[in-house]
Amino acid sequence: MHASRHTSGGSERDAADLARFGYSQELKRSLGLFSSFAVAFSYISPSTGIFTLFALGLTTLGGVFIWTWPVVALGQFIVALNFAEVSSHFPVAGSVFQWTKYLASRSYSWFTGWIYLFAGILTVTAVVATLPLALIPALNGLGWHSLNAASLHTQLVVALITLIVITVLNIYGVRLVAIINNTGVLFEILGMFVFALILLAFHNHQGFHVVTNSAGFHVGPSSFLAAMFMSLFVIYGFDTASTLAEETKDPRRAAPKAVLFSVVGAFIIGGVFLVGTLVAIPNLGAAVKGAYGPAAIIEANFSTGFATLYLFVVSAAIFVCCLSILAATIRLCFGMARDNQLPASGALSKVSPGLHTPVWSCIVVAVIAAIPFIKYSGATTIAIAATGMIYLSYFLGNIVIMRARARGWPKVKAPFRLGRWGILVNVVALLYGGAMLVNFAWPRAISNPEPRQTGGLLSLGLGFLNRIPILWTVVIVIVLIGAIYYLIVGRTKAFAPVTAPSPDDDLQPAADTGGAAPA
């Protein structure tokens, strides 16, 4: 009975805290610290990103590309430190959009949210396109040899089926997603870690010196920056713990911890897996020439039965990654629509009373995520475009946080705080984020190709568009559509009043917050 009263009291306190931001508790608050961590970790999902872009790193720098992993992990951990403090002040669905709404102007926050929303949608597309890379070889191991893993058409069909399934699961509630997600994360952590140890102990063909073997590629700043793309695609999405804050118990404390733990966990698990996979390559020259991914290396080292089993474990991990990324993107869509910021905001912000989920946001996000499949050229191109958009939205968020710090924010302490280190952390996060944005935007065939460099797979039908790097086109089109909508419709719409406890999270008196006591 005492535990029940404590849980009830905590829920009431969290709901009262949310009410200070002008929102009622519509979403179901059912996630604890582990579930919050698990959602953020599975968004990062080392296995997903490694399966998507391992071959890119290997064919750029050989085994030396592994050194991009700690560089990116450190840079992203610094960004995560900055975000952890802000998420402790603003435990509201929408992360970067919400933070910029409270710390910047309406127009700035709208464009940041718009870019972040489409970055999330593109990420959904990229991860459902990644699942076939592990699932099809696993099904081949069961005897389904008619499925060709190299066939873009087969990959497309599996990706679309995955998108439909994860959409239905998200419609049926975050608790169901969390149960599947928690189980999947345990599989990923144990599977990747234990499997990597098996590779290190019994299938070490290259020796640890493989991490200094560039396979004949020139090691320089340009090649290192290009090889970073696998690591860059893996380690982001840690702010998901903040995005699901309205469904998390005690989010001011739980969300910042989950944000940081997810980065550290992904770095350790992914790093061990990368080392194990590299040393297990039977012939480095053949692997580079054949652009081997982890699936090919697994199949080269194990019996069909064991390789199939492990590929199913990886497929499960990628599947829960798909689930959590869609869940996070849906919450961002819901958060913006609730503030009347999107077309058809009324429908997108409506929460099903029985399911406690924004059903139309689920459907619309999934439909838009399917659009890139009309011109499908493989998971790699989509992944690079998605990551570039995410880094842009993170950078825009960090600019606003830095501006707020320059004006003295925060004066009121939150449960997680950086104190006097806040400005230094913020500056380093901006320097790192800015450098990576230049890296993403740099025109090169391996990471930001022009459509004419894709063998006709991405031909856009217009000569001049086929000569513009893909990321440039994606960003320009999304920003242009957003600008037209905002100038014609968006800026004239009634904007939900920012009734937050102030940009400094300085809680209003009880009389102004419906009787809620100050935190």
Side-chain angles (χ1 to χ4, degrees), residues 71-142:
V71 172
V72 172
L74 178 60
Q76 291 296 73
F77 185 74
I78 292 169
V79 175
L81 280 172
N82 206 35
F83 284 2
E85 180 169 35
V86 188
S87 65
S88 192
H89 281 268
F90 304 110
V92 187
S95 74
V96 175
F97 164 68
Q98 293 289 358
W99 306 335
T100 53
K101 184 181 79 177
Y102 296 124
L103 299 177
S105 68
R106 171 180 173 176
S107 298
Y108 190 97
S109 67
W110 189 89
F111 275 100
T112 301
W114 180 262
I115 291 169
Y116 190 43
L117 174 61
F118 280 91
I121 291 171
L122 277 173
T123 303
V124 172
T125 311
V127 294
V128 298
T130 297
L131 181 60
L133 303 182
L135 183 58
I136 294 175
L139 294 174
N140 288 160
L142 292 180

Side-chain angles (χ1 to χ4, degrees), residues 44 49 53 68-69 71-73 75-76 224-238 383-384 386-388 390-391 394 432-433 435-437 439-440 444 447:
I44 297 173
L53 294 178
T68 67
W69 186 253
V71 172
V72 172
Q76 291 296 73
F224 191 85
L225 287 168
M228 290 177 80
F229 279 87
M230 187 211 75
S231 303
L232 291 167
F233 179 58
V234 176
I235 309 178
Y236 72 79
F238 39 82
I384 291 169
T387 314
I390 286 282
Y391 270 70
Y394 279 9
Y432 165 77
M436 290 305 100
L437 277 179
N439 189 20
F440 279 112
R444 53 167 92 90
S447 62

Side-chain angles (χ1 to χ4, degrees), residues 140-504:
N140 288 160
L142 292 180
W144 293 25
H145 299 298
S146 59
L147 296 176
N148 182 1
S151 166
L152 290 181
H153 175 72
T154 305
Q155 292 178 23
L156 177 60
V157 171
V158 174
L160 288 173
I161 293 172
T162 304
L163 184 58
I164 293 169
V165 172
I166 64 174
T167 302
V168 172
L169 289 172
N170 267 283
I171 286 173
Y172 275 91
V174 72
R175 185 58 189 159
L176 174 61
V177 171
I179 292 170
I180 298 171
N181 195 65
N182 292 355
T183 306
V185 164
L186 288 175
F187 270 109
E188 177 161 17
I189 292 174
L190 294 175
M192 290 190 73
F193 192 77
V194 172
F195 181 73
L197 294 180
I198 292 173
L199 288 174
L200 287 167
F202 302 108
H203 300 274
N204 188 342
H205 301 297
Q206 297 296 324
F208 288 104
H209 63 271
V210 70
V211 300
T212 62
N213 188 342
S214 68
F217 293 108
H218 172 69
V219 180
S222 178
S223 56
F224 191 85
L225 287 168
M228 290 177 80
F229 279 87
M230 187 211 75
S231 303
L232 291 167
F233 179 58
V234 176
I235 309 178
Y236 72 79
F238 39 82
D239 58 303
T240 303
S242 176
T243 297
L244 270 68
E246 291 182 33
E247 291 149 283
T248 303
K249 301 169 187 174
D250 194 14
R252 289 184 187 268
R253 290 175 176 80
K257 291 177 183 176
V259 166
L260 298 176
F261 290 166
S262 64
V263 177
V264 173
F267 167 66
I268 295 171
I269 300 299
V272 173
F273 180 75
L274 279 172
V275 172
T277 305
L278 282 173
V279 302
I281 294 174
N283 184 300
L284 186 60
V288 169
K289 186 177 180 180
Y292 279 21
I297 297 168
I298 291 167
E299 291 172 332
N301 281 281
F302 295 104
S303 65
T304 300
F306 190 89
T308 300
L309 174 64
Y310 187 71
L311 287 169
F312 272 118
V313 171
V314 171
S315 298
I318 298 173
F319 180 78
V320 298
C321 174
C322 298
L323 266 181
S324 64
I325 291 175
L326 182 59
T329 307
I330 289 166
R331 269 60 189 178
L332 174 59
C333 181
F334 165 76
M336 292 187 70
R338 183 175 57 181
D339 284 351
N340 198 28
Q341 293 295 286
L342 296 175
S345 286
L348 293 174
S349 62
K350 187 175 182 180
V351 176
S352 166
L355 298 171
H356 299 284
T357 53
V359 175
W360 280 110
S361 282
C362 296
I363 294 170
V364 169
V365 167
V367 169
I368 299 174
I371 291 175
F373 288 126
I374 295 172
K375 283 285 187 180
Y376 183 56
S377 61
T380 300
T381 305
I382 302 172
I384 291 169
T387 314
M389 292 283 289
I390 286 282
Y391 270 70
L392 176 58
S393 56
Y394 279 9
F395 186 74
L396 293 172
N398 276 316
I399 288 175
V400 167
I401 299 167
M402 187 68 230
R403 177 173 171 268
R405 291 189 190 281
R407 296 182 174 186
W409 182 90
K411 293 179 182 141
V412 174
K413 293 180 179 178
F416 181 88
R417 53 189 176 271
L418 296 174
R420 59 195 179 94
W421 294 100
I423 289 180
L424 178 60
V425 167
N426 209 148
V427 168
V428 176
L430 280 170
L431 291 173
Y432 165 77
M436 290 305 100
L437 277 179
V438 173
N439 189 20
F440 279 112
W442 203 265
R444 53 167 92 90
I446 194 172
S447 62
N448 187 16
E450 299 170 9
R452 61 178 179 168
Q453 295 172 321
T454 63
L457 292 173
L458 271 177
S459 177
L460 301 177
L462 296 173
F464 78 96
L465 281 180
N466 286 333
R467 289 176 170 79
I468 300 175
I470 294 295
L471 182 59
W472 297 10
T473 301
V474 170
V475 172
I476 290 170
V477 168
I478 289 173
V479 171
L480 190 59
I481 292 173
I484 292 170
Y485 169 76
Y486 187 75
L487 291 172
I488 296 175
V489 181
R491 65 192 179 99
T492 63
K493 294 179 75 171
F495 184 58
V498 181
T499 56
S502 90
D504 201 13

